[in-house]
Amino acid sequence: MQFGFDYLPYKWLEEIINLAAERIVVVDSKGLIRYINSGYCEFLGIKAEEAINQPVQNIIENSRMHIVAKSGQAELSAIQPIKGGEMIANRYPLFVEGELVGAVGTVLFRTQQEWWDYSKKIQPLLEELNYYKINYENGLKSKYKFSDIIGISSKFMLAKKMAEKISVSNSAVLLTGESGTGKELFAHAIHQNSSREQFPFVRINCASIPEHLLESELFGYEEGAFTGAKKGGKRGKFELANFGTIFLDEIGDMPLSMQSKLLRVLQEGEIERVGGQKPKAIDVRIIAATHRNLEKMIEEGTFRQDLYYRLNVIKLEIPPLRERKEDIPYIASFLLKKLEKKFHRHGINLTNRVISKLQQHNWPGNIRELENVLERAVNVLEGNTIDHVHLPLYLRENDYLASEKQKVHVDHHNHSESFPTLKETLSLVEKQTIVNALQLCGGNKLEASKLLGIGKTSLYDKCKQHNIK
């Protein structure tokens, strides 16, 4: 027994066609109009009975329906001049039981303006979708390899070789070291060198997410779990990282309440969404990182000892930059290559004096601080060579203080009563800073004032005060 359109009244079919396509026309193999709906008639300004059994090219200006009815080739999103404007039309060959019997035409947009109006509505949605797609894909991939981790110092090479060796394992890794030493780079490289490389690499900073949101971020939530929960629920970071690696940065900042839940995940190999009724098995490798002293935190009762032992299967300590100063020229060269791309520059180099200055500094901010110093230098650089004048003042102050110390020593030797007062010393520092800024800006006082963070008038006054020409 067959069921089909025989059971639908004609009026229903006509209304369905009108709803499915605002403007539609059907021609037979000779190009004669066999059907045209009210929407198309209204658009053309005619009645249906005036069009039926008429050649389509006589009724619809610049029509190609009769051509498609003979060629059997569809013409999609075609621009058709009509009534002094242009419309967007689709033309489909009509096959019945394998025989070409005619063609069906629809008008999507009566004018180009309709098309542009539609595009304006849909384009932001497409851009937003593409934005999230790109960010989703980029966010779940590791970006760095071991070849991106630069250094030749023995302490650093020991850590790097150990990281390469253990990357093929599935055991948990704990990366320790000061902020800015490159712990995240190590996490990326370990994942990319592992058998999990083709699966997601998911990062989460435990210090940047409010405590009340951390559980749902890590484990996800079910629909209706709380006010504002998305329809259908949401996957957490652990679910996103399934079969891959999850990097828990700043693990030492995770609240105690969350530490116990994380411990359960590590022990049982399963997570449970907020508001969920049953656990979900996961297969994820954990890489955790912290700049804190977790052993001391255990003694203070702010970090769980059992979680520490679960995370501390393989421990890698990344040395600070001050303990690997021989690496600074190589790291600086690598960072400058990155900055050249960012600033569309080429061939930037450092003088030996600058390299010496960089190696004398203790780098409390480590590689992150070094990158910031180089970026600042590139911003104010006119040529291709970074010299000491392009460095921030705190890296150059040793030169200045040494010269002032020598002056004080000579003055004290000749005139012991001429030791400079604090006001005189501050005045000298201000004068030297202004001179350095003017030298850096080629004597351009407007640029120098911007660099110094003062108004142009103030700079003129200070130049007059310090007799700077």
Side-chain angles (χ1 to χ4, degrees), residues 237-261:
K237 300 292 188 182
F238 272 88
E239 281 187 74
L240 290 173
N242 204 17
F243 302 116
T245 303
I246 190 164
F247 174 52
L248 300 173
D249 199 9
E250 302 296 355
I251 191 71
D253 293 278
M254 180 177 281
L256 271 171
S257 59
M258 277 303 302
Q259 291 177 29
S260 59
K261 292 175 182 177

Side-chain angles (χ1 to χ4, degrees), residues 137-366:
E137 290 173 349
N138 290 342
L140 300 184
K141 290 181 180 178
S142 54
K143 298 188 290 186
Y144 304 105
K145 308 182 290 291
F146 279 111
S147 58
D148 296 321
I149 304 176
I150 308 299
I152 59 168
S153 61
S154 57
K155 202 170 183 179
F156 173 78
M157 287 301 295
L158 190 64
K160 184 176 176 179
K161 285 179 181 177
M162 175 62 76
E164 288 183 85
K165 187 175 181 179
I166 59 92
S167 62
V168 296
S169 165
N170 284 316
S171 298
V173 180
L174 179 62
L175 301 170
T176 63
E178 296 176 9
S179 293
T181 51
K183 297 186 290 295
E184 185 171 338
L185 265 69
F186 270 81
H188 278 267
I190 289 169
H191 171 76
Q192 194 160 116
N193 203 50
S194 73
S195 58
R196 297 174 180 264
E197 176 197 0
Q198 299 303 319
F199 296 98
F201 175 77
V202 178
R203 297 164 287 170
I204 186 164
N205 189 309
C206 301
S208 65
I209 301 173
E211 184 175 346
H212 68 283
L213 295 178
L214 191 54
E215 183 176 3
S216 60
E217 278 292 313
L218 287 176
F219 308 131
Y221 57 78
E222 295 291 355
E223 182 177 339
F226 49 82
T227 303
K230 287 170 59 178
K231 187 176 181 181
K234 177 187 172 183
R235 290 194 296 168
K237 300 292 188 182
F238 272 88
E239 281 187 74
L240 290 173
N242 204 17
F243 302 116
T245 303
I246 190 164
F247 174 52
L248 300 173
D249 199 9
E250 302 296 355
I251 191 71
D253 293 278
M254 180 177 281
L256 271 171
S257 59
M258 277 303 302
Q259 291 177 29
S260 59
K261 292 175 182 177
L262 176 60
L263 178 64
R264 183 178 176 277
V265 173
L266 298 180
Q267 289 174 333
E268 306 297 333
E270 58 186 27
I271 58 102
E272 192 171 303
R273 288 185 177 185
V274 176
Q277 301 300 317
K278 57 182 181 179
K280 177 182 175 66
I282 53 156
D283 175 15
V284 173
R285 184 183 194 180
I286 305 282
I287 300 179
T290 184
H291 69 281
R292 294 179 177 272
N293 185 332
L294 295 186
E295 290 88 347
K296 186 177 180 182
M297 291 180 69
I298 291 169
E299 292 176 8
E300 296 169 348
T302 54
F303 200 86
R304 291 183 64 112
Q305 188 175 44
D306 43 8
L307 176 59
Y308 174 74
Y309 288 130
R310 281 281 177 181
L311 295 171
N312 193 27
V313 179
I314 302 169
K315 185 176 181 179
L316 286 173
E317 186 173 353
I318 316 302
L321 194 54
R322 64 180 171 275
E323 293 179 9
R324 42 182 298 222
K325 290 191 174 180
E326 62 266 47
D327 292 339
I328 287 177
Y330 302 98
I331 297 170
S333 177
F334 180 81
L335 294 175
L336 282 175
K337 295 296 180 188
K338 281 178 58 181
L339 291 169
E340 283 178 349
K341 292 179 182 178
K342 180 176 179 178
F343 288 91
H344 308 290
R345 302 282 294 268
H346 180 69
I348 299 175
N349 56 75
L350 306 171
T351 65
N352 290 334
R353 186 178 182 184
V354 166
I355 293 173
S356 177
K357 282 288 169 196
L358 298 180
Q359 289 180 317
Q360 289 169 18
H361 187 55
N362 274 336
W363 300 107
N366 294 291

Side-chain angles (χ1 to χ4, degrees), residues 93-102:
L94 182 60
F95 289 92
V96 176
E97 296 180 349
E99 181 186 354
L100 180 62
V101 297

Side-chain angles (χ1 to χ4, degrees), residues 407-418:
K407 287 179 185 177
V408 169
H409 175 74
V410 172
D411 287 344
H412 180 69
H413 179 74
N414 295 330
H415 307 283
S416 58
E417 70 281 1
S418 64

